[in-house]
Amino acid sequence: MHRIPYGRNGSSENRRVILLVHGLLNQAEHFLIAGMYNGSLAYLLADNEFDVWLANCRGTNHSRQHISLSSEDPMFWNFSWHEIGKYDLPAKIDYILEKTKKRKIFYAGYSQGGTSFYVMCTERPEYQDKIILASLMAPSAFFPETKKIPLANFFSTNHEEIMELVDDYSLYCFPSIKYSLGEVLMSLCVDSLFDNQCYIFLLETTGAKPENINPYMLPLWFRFSPKVAAKQIVHYLQLIYSGTFRKFDYGTTKNLQIYGQSKPPDYPVGNITAPIAFYSSLGDFMAEYSDIQQMCSRILSCERSFLLRSKHFSHFDFILSNKVEKKLNVPMLRFMQRYDEDGTTKIKNKLVE
Ligand SMILES: *[C@@H]1O[C@H](CO)[C@@H](O)[C@H](O)[C@H]1NC(C)=O
Ligand SMILES: *[C@@H]1O[C@H](CO)[C@@H](O)[C@H](O)[C@H]1NC(C)=O
Ligand SMILES: *[C@@H]1O[C@H](CO)[C@@H](O)[C@H](O)[C@H]1NC(C)=O
Ligand SMILES: *[C@@H]1O[C@H](CO)[C@@H](O)[C@H](O)[C@H]1NC(C)=O
Ligand SMILES: *[C@@H]1O[C@H](CO)[C@@H](O)[C@H](O)[C@H]1NC(C)=O
């Protein structure tokens, strides 16, 4: 983890503590690249009396030290966001509570940082009492509409074949043990390194809208994109395919061994009790509004569902947009400030905006 204990105004007593958890193909730096004066969430929180802890999930550049396995060993990469939520988030929370002598912390997760939060709440329910409020930005779980995108449909329909390829060729790490996706993509743009059009084009292929992109962030976005485990991606493809938020599908035989049933069990999201504020956008095809509404309606502790009504605010804009401070980060901060540092709430009503 990285930590920003206080911001430009110096230290003060009783700062609220928050853990920020990045998305797939991101690491801690992605919460910083918008810059101190341009609305980076981490700096904004530090300047507003938060003690900010930034997670680096396993496999990212800063999280490769395994007790017995080298990160060059394919077995190092035998994990999905399930293990991140079940083992790593609780370990991070315990560490933060011990260091800060607090009883509870705030949580904010983007994309996979939301998915793994759901896993923690259902697999390790005792950790929910340690959360004052979780702000989940574009968290995906059910993917109700994603199959309508041809490429997503193709890959999710063929998720079994993809996993076979992974096993047969030991492609446990995406895109490879040697290179990160960022390095691969940057090499595509190498002839035009100072021409951001190349980066913008690459992002547009994923649905990002060029008019939102702050061009000076792009090389940073790619540079800090780490490798991920193939299983993290395949697990998401399985969700897209089944439309069900459930554990990793190993195929009937192994499912019977591991889970005692032929299909993987669902994560019981209806049992989640941690207070959650959801942030979604109409322009996001990876974590759709209907997905997030479905989650909010199943969870009694859904305290807010905040919708960005712009069709031009894509999944990546939660980090990359030049409007992220005004549109998202400040409203999110203001909502967190309604909660006391010890976790008692000043509001009781469910907000849907
Ligand atoms: C803020 O973003 C603009 C581009 O939108 C950039 O020119 C400027 O250098 C950034 N400022 C800081 C302090 O990061
Ligand atoms: C920082 O301190 C200055 C002056 O002391 C004050 O005007 C400003 O609002 C403070 N900023 C924050 C974010 O608390
Ligand atoms: C990967 O981990 C899973 C679950 O922890 C385990 O069942 C499986 O055997 C492991 N795969 C290999 C090849 O060891
Ligand atoms: C990972 O760290 C190495 C060495 O510190 C650095 O060269 C590389 O650019 C980093 N990659 C990412 C994705 O942060
Ligand atoms: C979810 O809650 C129900 C009702 O309280 C309980 O019976 C069930 O065991 C819980 N499921 C899990 C997996 O914790």
Side-chain angles (χ1 to χ4, degrees):
M1 283 187 279
H2 289 109
R3 183 184 188 186
I4 308 176
Y6 50 84
R8 280 171 287 178
N9 281 5
S11 186
S12 58
E13 271 181 32
N14 269 329
R15 301 173 70 74
R16 296 146 187 241
V17 178
I18 189 163
L19 172 61
L20 299 189
V21 183
H22 60 77
L24 187 73
L25 290 165
N26 285 179
Q27 54 190 27
E29 284 90 338
H30 287 92
F31 284 118
L32 306 173
I33 59 176
M36 206 182 273
Y37 303 95
N38 277 346
S40 134
L41 180 60
Y43 291 126
L44 179 74
L45 291 166
D47 276 341
N48 282 279
E49 315 230 291
F50 279 84
D51 173 2
V52 180
W53 294 72
L54 296 138
N56 288 288
C57 294
R58 61 167 88 181
T60 62
N61 221 23
H62 312 293
S63 198
R64 299 254 175 90
Q65 307 290 321
H66 191 282
I67 292 174
S68 58
L69 296 172
S70 142
S71 66
E72 312 259 298
D73 186 331
M75 272 308 99
F76 175 93
W77 298 95
N78 183 16
F79 65 86
S80 136
W81 34 260
H82 175 84
E83 284 73 17
I84 293 173
K86 182 167 181 182
Y87 304 109
D88 304 348
L89 295 182
K92 289 176 202 300
I93 291 171
D94 284 341
Y95 185 84
I96 294 169
L97 292 176
E98 191 202 311
K99 287 285 170 194
T100 57
K101 310 264 182 294
K102 300 275 184 193
R103 280 191 317 112
K104 288 172 173 237
I105 62 166
F106 286 83
Y107 181 100
Y110 164 59
S111 193
Q112 181 189 262
T115 314
S116 50
F117 185 77
Y118 297 147
V119 173
M120 184 186 79
C121 291
T122 50
E123 291 285 298
R124 306 286 293 275
E126 68 278 16
Y127 277 83
Q128 300 183 97
D129 288 341
K130 303 177 197 287
I131 303 296
I132 300 166
L133 175 73
S135 302
L136 304 186
M137 294 160 267
S140 16
F142 304 117
F143 295 97
E145 313 277 339
T146 313
K147 263 208 273 191
K148 288 185 188 153
I149 303 169
L151 213 56
N153 185 35
F154 174 79
F155 283 115
S156 65
T157 308
N158 292 298
H159 68 87
E160 284 172 11
E161 289 75 11
I162 293 171
M163 200 59 213
E164 275 168 26
L165 280 176
V166 166
D167 285 332
D168 290 353
Y169 295 96
S170 298
L171 306 170
Y172 296 99
C173 176
F174 178 81
S176 80
I177 292 275
K178 264 214 164 85
Y179 300 108
S180 73
L181 183 64
E183 283 165 323
V184 172
L185 293 180
M186 276 175 85
S187 69
L188 291 178
C189 290
V190 80
D191 287 334
S192 44
L193 197 56
F194 301 102
D195 181 4
N196 277 307
Q197 293 312 314
C198 178
Y199 293 117
I200 291 178
F201 171 76
L202 289 175
L203 270 181
E204 264 187 281
T205 60
T206 64
K209 298 287 185 283
E211 65 268 29
N212 287 345
I213 296 173
N214 182 343
Y216 104 109
M217 271 193 251
L218 280 172
L220 296 171
W221 169 279
F222 287 121
R223 182 169 141 206
F224 293 118
S225 295
K227 299 169 221 191
V228 297
K231 235 173 139 177
Q232 285 171 276
I233 297 173
V234 173
H235 199 172
Y236 270 129
L237 293 177
Q238 293 177 352
L239 301 189
I240 295 172
Y241 181 70
S242 69
T244 313
F245 183 49
R246 61 190 189 188
K247 295 187 187 178
F248 195 85
D249 192 345
Y250 290 95
T252 310
T253 316
K254 201 151 177 216
N255 286 344
L256 279 167
Q257 272 170 26
I258 295 181
Y259 307 123
Q261 56 188 70
S262 60
K263 295 260 176 259
D266 289 359
Y267 293 106
V269 292
N271 286 10
I272 292 178
T273 55
I276 301 181
F278 291 95
Y279 297 85
S280 54
S281 167
L282 285 182
D284 184 349
F285 301 108
M286 299 197 198
E288 284 148 293
Y289 181 54
S290 57
D291 189 339
I292 285 153
Q293 275 311 88
Q294 193 177 339
M295 195 57 99
C296 177
S297 65
R298 287 204 203 175
I299 293 175
L300 286 174
S301 55
C302 169
E303 309 227 336
R304 180 189 216 193
S305 178
F306 181 94
L307 175 66
L308 290 151
R309 289 178 190 281
S310 165
K311 287 236 194 301
H312 294 275
F313 199 91
S314 78
H315 195 66
F316 296 95
D317 287 320
F318 286 83
I319 302 290
L320 269 180
S321 168
N322 51 18
K323 305 181 184 86
V324 75
E325 175 168 27
K326 209 167 119 238
K327 282 195 156 183
L328 177 73
N329 291 347
V330 169
M332 192 156 55
L333 167 71
R334 295 284 170 255
F335 195 75
M336 288 180 199
Q337 287 170 329
R338 295 181 182 204
Y339 290 74
D340 285 341
E341 191 258 335
D342 68 352
T344 50
T345 321
K346 294 176 195 126
I347 44 148
K348 278 280 163 258
N349 53 326
K350 199 163 178 161
L351 270 164
V352 176
E353 291 144 281

